[in-house]
Amino acid sequence: QVQLIESGGGLVQAGGSLRLSCAASGRTFSTDTMAWFRQAPGKEREFVATISWNDYTYYRDNVKGRFTISRDNAKNTVYLQMNSLKPEDTAVYYCAAARAMRVITGRNDYIYWGQGTQVTVSS
């Protein structure tokens, strides 16, 4: 059974940092494109960051320079380092995997999803 399990969410003050982790199991994800999405209350799930099998990365504009996505294929884990957090970053963050070898930003291209982890940034 394929599983993606996120961890590392929590409550942090504006300007603070969090590091999210996504542990994958059930298959090898080393050649997959991995990504983070987020969904705030009352809003659609949106793309945050993606990383290809060969570590090419791409970010949504309003997290560039603050968030960093990375992966450790030996551990089948992908990370999202979030610095300089803002209240508007508050959302449930989801890890996702796509059977592709290029960066992908479209939600419908991802076939495996985690259950999400809550990130709350207070002002």
Side-chain angles (χ1 to χ4, degrees), residues 16-62:
S17 298
L18 283 174
R19 188 194 195 204
L20 306 183
S21 298
C22 171
S25 63
R27 63 183 294 269
T28 299
F29 288 84
S30 59
T31 59
D32 289 354
T33 291
M34 304 295 292
W36 289 93
F37 287 75
R38 66 187 181 187
Q39 187 167 17
K43 295 187 177 181
E44 290 192 355
R45 192 171 299 187
E46 65 182 18
F47 164 79
V48 176
T50 182
I51 185 167
S52 68
W53 68 277
N54 57 349
D55 290 341
Y56 186 85
T57 59
Y58 186 78
Y59 301 88
R60 68 178 297 107
D61 284 345
N62 61 4

Side-chain angles (χ1 to χ4, degrees), residues 36-103:
W36 289 93
F37 287 75
R38 66 187 181 187
Q39 187 167 17
K43 295 187 177 181
E44 290 192 355
R45 192 171 299 187
E46 65 182 18
F47 164 79
V48 176
T50 182
I51 185 167
S52 68
W53 68 277
N54 57 349
D55 290 341
Y56 186 85
T57 59
Y58 186 78
Y59 301 88
R60 68 178 297 107
D61 284 345
N62 61 4
V63 306
K64 287 179 181 177
R66 300 189 298 122
F67 290 11
T68 302
I69 188 171
S70 62
R71 65 192 298 162
D72 184 338
N73 288 335
K75 296 181 178 180
N76 238 15
T77 301
V78 63
Y79 305 97
L80 185 67
Q81 177 66 44
M82 305 185 295
N83 299 328
S84 302
L85 282 161
K86 304 175 181 180
E88 52 263 43
D89 294 318
T90 295
V92 177
Y93 283 70
Y94 297 89
C95 174
R99 291 182 179 176
M101 298 182 76
R102 58 183 175 85
V103 292

